[in-house]
Amino acid sequence: QKEVEQNSGPLSVPEGAIASLNCTYSDRGSQSFFWYRQYSGKSPELIMFIYSNGDKEDGRFTAQLNKASQYVSLLIRDSQPSDSATYLCAVNMMTGAGSYQLTFGKGTKLSVIP
Amino acid sequence: EPEVTQTPSHQVTQMGQEVILRCVPISNHLYFYWYRQILGQKVEFLVSFYNNEISEKSEIFDDQFSVERPDGSNFTLKIRSTKLEDSAMYFCASSSPQGMPQETQYFGPGTRLLVL
């Protein structure tokens, strides 16, 4: 069974702090990795994607990928109360049929305290 | 900015009834998907669709489910005989203007289905 694991939280950080969200995945052949944000009752909203080892920065967000450790992380700098949401790690895993299937973790609930 | 749209936003149905959930993917995308999310649980893949046929389906997507692209814009999910456990949020997504299955998927707002 191909899995994506996340700490469910809740993760509480004070406003202005750095929030660090982590994710591990089981399929070593995975090639594309995504972070989505989901507010309660809403659909997943893309935050970032990363394909290569290393860091990728976009504004206050930095995604980090380590394929050897099968580990993806998301850093949110200068956290704001509006960042309070559930963050979903998703990994595009190749199936036995040679196609791809996006597999989600359960999500980490982030709470930014004013 | 183009986005995926879904109708209806909410659907209430009786057990055993058929429901059709509708989606309009982003116009230049080539891959289309359905996911579901039972309340409090993770987002689960149901099916992917490319070049007018199913390219992948999960164990959840049994004979009660079917998908169709009836015209150039709509993509539908049909549940033939709904069960109580089909109650969930159903998300449509689309991706791949380049035709690559690994590309970013963009999600619609979802249809909340309640089976009574």
Side-chain angles (χ1 to χ4, degrees):
Chain A
Q1 185 80 4
K2 297 184 178 181
E3 298 285 345
V4 176
E5 300 287 344
Q6 294 182 256
N7 188 330
S8 61
L11 173 66
S12 293
V13 300
E15 183 174 355
I18 295 175
S20 177
L21 305 161
N22 305 313
C23 170
T24 59
Y25 60 94
S26 62
D27 181 21
R28 190 170 286 278
S30 300
Q31 296 188 14
S32 50
F33 308 85
F34 305 87
W35 284 100
Y36 288 86
R37 177 174 62 197
Q38 187 176 34
Y39 294 109
S40 181
K42 302 295 185 182
S43 65
E45 173 194 6
L46 181 72
I47 298 293
M48 290 193 71
F49 63 87
I50 186 166
Y51 294 167
S52 303
N53 276 329
D55 294 1
K56 180 182 178 184
E57 187 173 318
D58 183 1
R60 295 188 296 112
F61 299 95
T62 299
Q64 299 173 315
L65 174 62
N66 183 327
K67 289 185 179 180
S69 301
Q70 295 174 237
Y71 176 88
V72 193
S73 67
L74 180 70
L75 300 177
I76 306 174
R77 287 181 298 283
D78 188 24
S79 296
Q80 301 297 308
S82 57
D83 294 327
S84 298
T86 297
Y87 288 80
L88 309 178
C89 174
V91 179
N92 231 336
M93 298 184 180
M94 185 179 280
T95 67
S99 181
Y100 285 86
Q101 179 174 315
L102 195 61
T103 300
F104 283 83
K106 291 183 178 179
T108 298
K109 187 169 184 177
L110 172 67
S111 181
V112 181
I113 312 300
Chain B
E1 185 173 320
E3 53 185 27
V4 178
T5 60
Q6 290 185 242
T7 53
S9 58
H10 293 79
Q11 175 95 44
V12 181
T13 190
Q14 295 291 323
M15 191 170 56
Q17 295 296 304
E18 174 183 286
V19 295
I20 297 176
L21 310 182
R22 293 182 167 79
C23 168
V24 179
I26 294 172
S27 62
N28 65 339
H29 283 186
L30 300 175
Y31 275 85
F32 315 119
Y33 309 85
W34 284 102
Y35 293 82
R36 79 171 185 191
Q37 187 176 29
I38 295 171
L39 189 63
Q41 298 188 22
K42 67 179 179 179
V43 177
E44 299 175 288
F45 169 79
L46 292 177
V47 65
S48 60
F49 191 86
Y50 172 72
N51 201 26
N52 283 318
E53 60 183 23
I54 291 174
S55 56
E56 193 70 40
K57 59 183 181 180
S58 71
E59 293 174 351
I60 303 168
F61 194 87
D62 62 21
D63 292 344
Q64 293 299 313
F65 291 90
S66 62
V67 290
E68 193 178 32
R69 186 153 165 83
D71 53 42
S73 59
N74 290 285
F75 179 51
T76 62
L77 174 69
K78 182 193 289 185
I79 309 175
R80 250 180 286 280
S81 177
T82 49
K83 306 184 188 71
L84 296 176
E85 54 265 37
D86 293 327
S87 295
M89 190 77 133
Y90 287 81
F91 296 112
C92 175
S94 70
S95 74
S96 310
Q98 309 296 329
M100 301 292 288
Q102 308 95 305
E103 291 176 69
T104 300
Q105 296 181 28
Y106 295 90
F107 283 72
T111 294
R112 185 175 297 281
L113 176 65
L114 178 61
V115 182
L116 301 176

